[in-house]
Amino acid sequence: MEEKITKIPTHVSIIMDGNGRWARERGKERVFGHLNGVESVRAVTEESVRLGIKYLSLYTFSEENWSRPESEVGYLMNLMIKSIAGELDNFMRNGVRFLALGNREHLPELVLSAIDGAMEATKDNKNLTLILFLSYSGRWDILQAARRMAEDFASHPGDLAGVDAEAFGRYLVTADIPDPDLIIRTSGEERISNYLLWQGAYSELVFTPVLWPDFREEDYRKALLEYSLRDRRYGKVK
Ligand code: IPE
Ligand code: IPE
Ligand code: MG
């Protein structure tokens, strides 16, 4: 029985979870799971290009993740710097435009220069936009948008009455990016964990027990197949 993916989403987003448990199952330190998770990122990125998906975004590090032990945070930041540099050739070969979005104020200088370098180098690539949400949380995004909007309207607050959801969305860090059609979360957890709260209002959700470092093309295709079978109604009746 070969079922077909009949609907290709424009934007797929993944909450990559379960790295620590994957490592623990193998009697290793949690960070070993983060290291192996990089392979899964490469696999889903290349599969997205093959399938013609235009946006792939990955919840890579949340604002809350800063509260993890300093050694794990440090490891993750170093891994980010190394992986971004290591994947650049791949991005160019596959036509991947790289973006990193989140609270830059909390990110170390070396991470900022790695992401800025990769964004500049890949800015003209057209096949897939790969977005890493780094030091990101949904509530932070909504708050920073509200603050910036308040500044813009300070001298003419009466105009706020004309701000609709679309106009507000332009203040979010995802201003130019379509809302995710599908959000996948790995590792069996079934929660949003302060991810794309505004943008995910009508995203389809797929949860899989597979731990992130084990997640490969076939798991991805399975989630996309499930998405193909969903009926998106947006509150309407058919
Ligand atoms: C996801 O894996 C990676 C990050 C959140 C940075 P975890 O590190 O959360 O792994 P578990 O959930 O503890 O297994
Ligand atoms: C969500 O995973 C954040 C990322 C995948 C970056 P967490 O492991 O931090 O989420 P909780 O703590 O299980 O909600
Ligand atoms: Mg986790």
Side-chain angles (χ1 to χ4, degrees), residues 159-217:
D159 292 354
L160 274 169
V163 174
D164 59 8
E166 202 207 313
F168 182 77
R170 285 197 285 275
Y171 284 92
L172 297 168
V173 295
T174 49
D176 302 318
I177 294 154
D179 288 341
D181 300 291
L182 166 64
I183 297 177
I184 301 168
R185 183 169 188 149
T186 61
S187 88
E189 308 299 348
E190 301 190 350
R191 55 175 169 260
I192 289 296
S193 299
N194 206 358
Y195 191 34
L196 297 169
L197 298 182
W198 176 280
Q199 301 88 335
Y202 267 104
S203 302
E204 294 296 326
L205 307 176
V206 170
F207 300 104
T208 165
V210 177
L211 302 175
W212 179 248
D214 283 332
F215 195 85
R216 286 294 179 276
E217 288 86 345

